[in-house]
Amino acid sequence: MDPLIAAAARALATGDPLAALNRVALRDDPPALALRGIAMAQLGDLARATTLLRRAARAFGPGQPVARARCVVAEAEIAFVSRDLAWPEAALEAARATLEAQGDRANVAHARTLQARRQLLVGRIDEAERILEGLDPASLPAATQTACELVVAGIAIRRIRTKAARAALARAGIAARAARIPALVAEVETAARVLDTPAARLVAGDEERPLLLEDVERLLASDALIVDACRHAVRVGGTTLSLATRPVLFALARALGEAWPADAPRGTLLQSAFGARHVDESHRARLRVEIGRLRAALGDLADLGATKAGFVLLPRQGRHIVVLAPPVEDRHAGMLALLADGEAWSSSALAIALGASPRTVQRALDRLTRAGKVQSFGRARSRRWTVPHVPGFPTVLLLPDPFASG
């Protein structure tokens, strides 16, 4: 290998893009273009990096499929970092297949890690887990091992398995220090803080207190009936009733859960479910209908009893009832949870991650901008959105729902 190319590659592997550029900045041969692209990506100039990598892929030509596939993987990583979720997944899969056929194990692992990170970001936890099956992080280069362990930790965190998450983060920390790349070490430390910061609030009768993710895990494993305001569901043990698509029923369930063991007055229920300020007979009739629907939906989880003032939630088998609420209540909490990762998002990427229409996302971003909760830069298709400051709480329970996939 060309000594300058080899030296530049070693510099990039240790996170020193300036040293790499010192060796190849004035060269336009394909390997130099690829290394310059990776260096520019590490320096944060993602647009220039993408251009250089595409030039390199074209210059390598069909006679060098492995080199071209490596350029595609590098471009896919840039797309992920810049939250370009519309970047074609098929191109990354084809590049991975090429590298696998040629026995390039390290770059195959890197490609699989990128695929898993994308699936994790949009809430496809089962798919992320499937992609990593059979991959042994310990056999990978230190930097790739760090990224892989971070994905493993992310999957465990989203499934609320804190012991497995801590173990994966510990392995990621060891690998990051072995790689001697400060940015990787910082990324692991940031990920680890999620486990030591309140992730939700417990509301039970007159008590309200913050919960760490470990506390949430213990609560979900208990025999309590949980009205989960983070995922809009009612849970008992391993049984989950999702009410995410039935907001009126969930609003009633939450109001009843917050009032338990007392009853919830009809006026409170009407205000929570319908926003009704003045109660008339039509409101009462509608409330009776929705209470009947909620009773049917709850089935064996709980019953509903009528009282003189309103209704009361009656758990089965003497269970107690708690409400699991987000650390901060916001109509667009899921969107803020995605933006809180510190990256710049396009509205189309947010729509993909949230499973919402682009127009719905754009309206929400406009409201959040007016409220000073998000800010944007760029114009038209290059417009990106960020939060002015990262919230002081983890947002795991507000991200796209892993429970929907099992």
Side-chain angles (χ1 to χ4, degrees):
M1 182 184 290
D2 183 324
L4 287 178
I5 293 294
R10 285 194 298 271
L12 289 175
T14 58
D16 190 353
L18 294 178
L21 286 175
N22 281 339
R23 290 165 173 82
V24 296
L26 300 179
R27 293 176 53 168
D28 284 330
D29 53 299
L33 287 172
L35 292 173
R36 283 168 57 194
I38 296 170
M40 296 308 294
Q42 291 188 6
L43 290 170
D45 190 345
L46 302 182
R48 179 63 176 156
T50 299
T51 300
L52 287 167
L53 286 167
R54 288 178 180 174
R55 283 180 59 193
R58 287 194 298 269
F60 278 123
Q64 296 175 284
V66 173
R68 294 185 69 182
R70 288 173 180 171
C71 290
V72 171
V73 172
E75 186 183 342
E77 184 168 16
I78 292 170
F80 176 82
V81 170
S82 58
R83 295 300 185 260
D84 180 8
L85 299 185
W87 196 87
E89 292 180 80
L92 179 57
E93 176 61 27
R96 183 177 72 82
T98 298
L99 294 169
E100 204 154 23
Q102 298 296 323
D104 188 350
R105 293 177 59 254
N107 281 297
V108 167
H110 185 48
R112 288 174 65 181
T113 301
L114 285 174
Q115 290 176 304
R117 289 176 71 186
R118 186 191 186 282
Q119 300 302 328
L120 178 63
L121 188 66
V122 298
R124 298 172 187 163
I125 313 302
D126 289 342
E127 183 64 18
E129 220 163 25
R130 184 195 65 76
I131 290 170
L132 292 183
E133 279 180 4
L135 191 62
D136 179 17
S139 65
L140 303 175
T144 306
Q145 181 184 352
T146 304
C148 186
E149 293 290 8
L150 283 172
V151 178
V152 172
I155 291 171
I157 287 171
R158 296 287 294 279
R159 292 203 185 283
I160 317 182
R161 298 171 183 167
T162 53
K163 185 176 180 180
R166 287 190 188 280
L169 287 168
R171 294 192 298 269
I174 293 170
R177 289 188 290 275
R180 299 182 180 179
I181 301 176
L184 274 181
V185 175
E187 187 176 355
V188 174
E189 291 173 350
T190 299
R193 280 198 290 272
V194 169
L195 297 175
D196 299 316
T197 312
R201 290 178 296 122
L202 177 73
V203 181
D206 296 330
E207 178 191 10
E208 181 175 327
R209 60 184 174 87
L211 297 178
L212 299 178
L213 204 60
E214 278 180 327
D215 301 324
V216 174
E217 183 178 20
R218 283 192 290 270
L219 179 63
L220 294 177
S222 72
D223 64 351
L225 188 147
I226 303 164
V227 181
D228 185 350
C230 298
R231 298 297 187 188
H232 293 85
V234 178
R235 307 181 189 282
V236 177
T239 304
T240 299
L241 168 66
S242 177
L243 297 174
T245 60
R246 307 179 77 176
V248 171
L249 296 193
F250 181 77
L252 291 173
R254 179 171 181 176
L256 290 162
E258 290 180 345
W260 189 85
D263 58 354
R266 287 178 176 80
T268 300
L269 294 172
L270 288 167
Q271 175 65 35
S272 299
F274 312 125
R277 296 182 180 179
H278 306 289
V279 179
D280 57 27
E281 190 55 39
S282 67
H283 286 124
R284 293 189 184 93
R286 187 179 176 191
L287 178 61
R288 286 194 295 271
V289 170
E290 298 298 342
I291 286 290
R293 289 173 176 164
L294 179 59
R295 182 182 287 113
L298 289 172
D300 293 334
L301 299 182
D303 197 3
L304 286 171
T307 67
K308 185 175 180 180
F311 294 90
V312 62
L313 195 56
L314 304 170
R316 310 284 188 186
Q317 302 174 6
R319 293 185 174 95
H320 65 285
I321 298 175
V322 297
V323 175
L324 186 66
V328 174
E329 301 277 359
D330 192 284
R331 179 181 175 186
H332 305 296
M335 186 174 298
L336 290 172
L338 289 170
L339 289 168
D341 67 359
E343 301 293 346
W345 287 71
S346 66
S347 59
S348 60
L350 288 168
I352 291 171
L354 293 168
S357 72
R359 184 61 190 140
T360 297
V361 168
Q362 191 60 57
R363 283 197 296 266
L365 288 170
D366 290 342
R367 293 191 195 99
L368 291 170
T369 301
R370 289 195 296 270
K373 295 180 179 180
V374 302
Q375 60 189 18
S376 64
F377 59 89
R379 293 175 178 270
R381 294 193 177 204
S382 64
R383 193 176 191 188
R384 293 293 183 270
W385 303 84
T386 62
V387 288
H389 55 84
V390 177
F393 60 88
T395 53
V396 172
L397 300 179
L398 301 176
L399 292 168
D401 190 359
F403 296 102
S405 61

